[in-house]
Amino acid sequence: MMKRFLFTAAFTAALVWQIPTISATCHDNMIWNSESEAQEVNNTFFRSRAMLKMHAKELGIDIKGKDEQTLASEVYESMLVRAAKELNIELEGKSKDELTEEIHHERVIKKAVELDIETDGKTPDAIAQEVYEIIMKQKAIELGVSVQGKDFEAIETEVKNAALTKRAEELGIMTEGKDVQQIKKEIYEAQVIQSAEQLDIEIENKDVEQILDEIITDHYEQAKELQMYPFNHARS
């Protein structure tokens, strides 16, 4: 149950901030996050007290005396309400699951319109699949990944790897001989440390979570104004 909650919460966060994570696969929650990617997002955004604190601040939620699960639940509910209002979706009488599904569908349709995709006579899943494939191919072109003669699965894998390598290189991270999870971990840590250094935060003898908490607790306004990590997380 907790896994399902965290997955839905991470997916909804992606919808609210419209994060087109390129490592997604089409599933019942398509376009922005696969279940595996959602769990990865959870590790940063919902299993991190510091990230929960950031989202709570953005949503005007009091964090005092609340454990992680309670706070995550409140953040998730507030995200749902905000997203629904932005899309003019009626809230009354609907469960969280119903709202999540409706928000997802509206986001998909909106993106399909932007991409000039014909939606008449197509199921929501078919529309989402088409949207996702176009987004992935656009990302392939952006990253210089050839799509000629490749099936979609191969394109997706190459795009994910190219994007990860590009971000690592931007941060001065060597990728040779490292698996994907290790590279992602190093990217996350490097982004936090980079922000701390720009904010003149002392990082010695502190772990990444402690540093991130200090950024959000003591330097929230400055980091947000300058779009430092984690406030620039949409690029990830």
Side-chain angles (χ1 to χ4, degrees):
M1 181 67 181
M2 185 60 179
K3 182 179 178 182
R4 171 63 181 167
F5 165 74
L6 287 169
F7 170 48
T8 306
F11 168 69
T12 305
L15 284 176
V16 173
W17 279 286
Q18 299 184 58
I19 308 170
T21 45
I22 57 156
S23 52
T25 55
C26 285
H27 190 45
D28 56 340
N29 285 330
M30 287 166 283
I31 299 176
W32 313 128
N33 288 98
S34 66
E35 184 162 355
S36 60
E37 181 69 5
Q39 291 305 316
E40 177 193 335
V41 172
N42 291 332
N43 290 334
T44 304
F45 290 87
F46 283 88
R47 290 180 183 167
S48 162
R49 179 75 183 185
M51 292 303 297
L52 273 173
K53 185 185 291 187
M54 184 191 81
H55 291 317
K57 280 190 172 189
E58 290 178 335
L59 294 162
I61 297 170
D62 185 11
I63 66 172
K64 291 179 183 177
K66 296 173 183 173
D67 61 26
E68 280 80 358
Q69 187 168 349
T70 300
L71 191 55
S73 180
E74 289 190 28
V75 167
Y76 163 54
E77 288 179 16
S78 294
M79 286 176 173
L80 271 183
V81 170
R82 185 170 74 175
K85 287 181 177 177
E86 287 174 356
L87 295 165
N88 296 315
I89 293 171
E90 179 61 45
L91 294 166
E92 191 173 352
K94 295 176 184 174
S95 68
K96 292 177 186 178
D97 286 347
E98 287 171 333
L99 277 175
T100 300
E101 182 69 24
E102 195 169 345
I103 290 166
H104 173 238
H105 181 63
E106 289 299 320
R107 292 284 193 214
V108 168
I109 295 299
K110 185 177 179 181
K111 197 67 181 177
V113 170
E114 289 176 13
L115 295 169
D116 293 323
I117 294 171
E118 179 58 55
T119 60
D120 289 347
K122 296 177 183 176
T123 65
D125 284 4
I127 298 167
Q129 174 73 36
E130 194 171 346
V131 167
Y132 176 63
E133 289 189 7
I134 290 175
I135 290 172
M136 187 62 69
K137 287 174 182 177
Q138 288 177 341
K139 195 69 180 178
I141 293 168
E142 179 186 324
L143 292 167
V145 173
S146 173
V147 300
Q148 192 72 28
K150 298 173 185 174
D151 62 23
F152 182 71
E153 187 176 345
I155 294 169
E156 183 182 37
T157 299
E158 288 190 37
V159 168
K160 286 191 291 184
N161 291 338
L164 195 65
T165 300
K166 180 175 182 288
R167 185 60 180 140
E169 288 175 351
E170 289 171 352
L171 293 164
I173 296 168
M174 300 294 292
T175 60
E176 188 174 355
K178 298 175 183 175
D179 62 28
V180 168
Q181 292 308 314
Q182 179 62 31
I183 296 168
K184 288 179 179 178
K185 180 176 180 290
E186 290 187 26
I187 287 173
Y188 167 58
E189 291 173 350
Q191 289 176 144
V192 173
I193 291 169
Q194 185 181 73
S195 291
E197 290 174 345
Q198 290 172 347
L199 293 164
D200 293 323
I201 294 172
E202 178 59 54
I203 63 173
E204 190 174 354
N205 298 321
K206 296 175 185 174
D207 62 29
V208 174
E209 178 71 8
Q210 289 173 318
I211 297 168
L212 184 59
D213 184 77
E214 190 170 339
I215 291 169
I216 292 166
T217 302
D218 299 332
H219 304 272
Y220 178 90
E221 296 298 338
Q222 184 181 2
K224 185 174 182 178
E225 181 181 352
L226 297 175
Q227 282 296 287
M228 296 177 180
Y229 188 85
F231 297 96
N232 64 349
H233 59 71
R235 70 175 294 172
S236 307

